[in-house]
Amino acid sequence: MKKHHSLFENLNFEDFREMALNREMSRYEKIGFPDAYRADQEIAIFNDIESKLPALTKINSVILDIGCGCSDLPTLLMTRAELNHQSLVLLDSAEMLSQLPDVSVACVRKVPAKYPDCSDLLAELQGRVDAIIIYSVIQYVFADGNIFDFIDKSLALLAPSGRMLIGDIPNVSMRKRFFASENGIKHHQDYTGTDEIPDVKFNCVEPRHIDDSVIAAIISRARTAGFHAFVVPQPPNLPMANRREDILIVRP
């Protein structure tokens, strides 16, 4: 299989199921990233997630990772859950979950499902979850699902003081601002090895892509439901911090 960025465009749940079983792909490619964006980078990503979700460091907390994938992040979560006696639910397709190490401790559960089509789990976790992780996932929900249904059902799972991190959101508006800047032009020219100026078009809607309006809508939706909600930046050492950002939602 050719290794090119276009391989990772316009993916959906069924594509990820197929990619999970592809023996020619790395564990990073199976979750939609070229190796350059994730290999040796996931410790820094995990540290950032942990800084925004303090429940990951606490004993006996309940953690839900929606669309966990099969890279290093869920493995780090499994190790942390065993150490802190947490209850960790890893949710993804059966194909993706099969790529993770076998679960040897009772505190970790793998749940094969396409979220939020998992009514039994939603009922079980209602109002009980201390931290929800939705990382590099929401763009696929926006393109192919009902993003407000996804958000509403996730909010209902949070315990008092619980937090939900919608992380690593590819915001096309942020990307345009970056590539129209001096730093963005230099980044593009260094990456391509050319003197070309990035082609950036403002004042146009790009279907199936998250932009500032979608970010604002998610924030507004959560606040309307009674939650605090914030747009938070990624630290500059993360691989796509110049064009991706996070949303942090907190149940008061």
Side-chain angles (χ1 to χ4, degrees):
M1 176 175 289
K2 291 173 62 178
K3 296 183 176 180
H4 188 273
H5 288 198
S6 62
L7 288 173
F8 307 112
E9 295 176 353
N10 300 317
L11 297 172
N12 58 35
F13 186 76
E14 296 304 319
D15 293 325
F16 281 109
R17 291 179 65 188
E18 182 178 339
M19 290 160 62
L21 300 180
N22 188 328
R23 296 183 178 181
E24 296 183 9
M25 302 185 88
S26 72
R27 59 183 179 275
Y28 310 111
E29 291 170 331
K30 290 179 179 186
I31 63 169
F33 288 96
D35 289 351
Y37 286 115
R38 284 299 185 98
D40 301 322
Q41 306 272 7
E42 294 208 342
I43 287 290
I45 294 172
F46 182 78
N47 290 339
D48 181 50
I49 294 173
E50 192 176 69
S51 72
K52 293 166 179 169
L53 298 175
L56 298 188
T57 66
K58 295 182 178 177
I59 294 173
N60 295 328
S61 54
V62 179
I63 314 294
L64 170 63
D65 188 343
I66 301 171
C68 61
C70 64
S71 64
D72 304 329
L73 292 177
T75 303
L76 290 166
L77 284 172
M78 293 166 71
T79 301
R80 182 57 57 88
E82 183 176 4
L83 179 67
N84 287 333
H85 307 286
Q86 297 165 344
S87 175
L88 171 64
V89 178
L90 299 171
L91 189 147
D92 211 315
S93 69
E95 292 82 358
M96 194 66 78
L97 294 175
S98 72
Q99 303 302 303
L100 291 173
D102 291 336
V103 174
S104 59
V105 291
C107 63
V108 179
R109 263 200 303 164
K110 297 179 183 177
V111 177
K114 181 181 179 182
Y115 190 89
D117 300 332
C118 47
S119 55
D120 290 346
L121 183 71
L122 294 179
E124 174 193 336
L125 295 181
Q126 188 93 3
R128 294 187 52 225
V129 182
D130 299 300
I132 299 176
I133 303 165
I134 304 165
Y135 206 83
S136 304
V137 167
I138 202 68
Q139 63 268 34
Y140 306 112
V141 180
F142 176 72
D144 287 317
N146 182 330
I147 194 167
F148 284 147
D149 183 56
F150 185 101
I151 296 293
D152 293 347
K153 288 178 176 171
S154 301
L155 293 175
L157 303 182
L158 285 177
S161 302
R163 293 187 175 200
M164 178 164 71
L165 180 67
I166 306 173
D168 205 37
I169 306 170
N171 180 349
V172 71
S173 302
M174 184 180 180
R175 185 181 189 281
K176 290 178 181 179
R177 289 190 291 272
F178 175 66
F179 281 111
S181 70
E182 292 181 353
N183 283 336
I185 292 171
K186 182 178 186 307
H187 177 92
H188 176 80
Q189 292 176 341
D190 289 346
Y191 182 80
T192 60
T194 69
D195 294 328
E196 70 179 17
I197 303 298
D199 182 19
V200 178
K201 293 184 176 64
F202 290 100
N203 299 327
C204 61
V205 172
E206 298 195 22
R208 299 174 63 85
H209 287 80
I210 291 178
D211 59 16
D212 284 341
S213 70
V214 179
I215 297 288
I218 295 172
I219 294 289
S220 180
R221 185 76 169 189
R223 291 179 177 178
T224 300
F227 295 78
H228 301 312
F230 314 90
V231 178
V232 289
Q234 298 187 342
N237 62 319
L238 296 198
M240 303 182 82
N242 52 28
R243 51 198 185 276
R244 293 194 175 203
E245 58 192 348
D246 300 344
I247 291 176
L248 180 63
I249 298 173
V250 181
R251 180 174 171 182

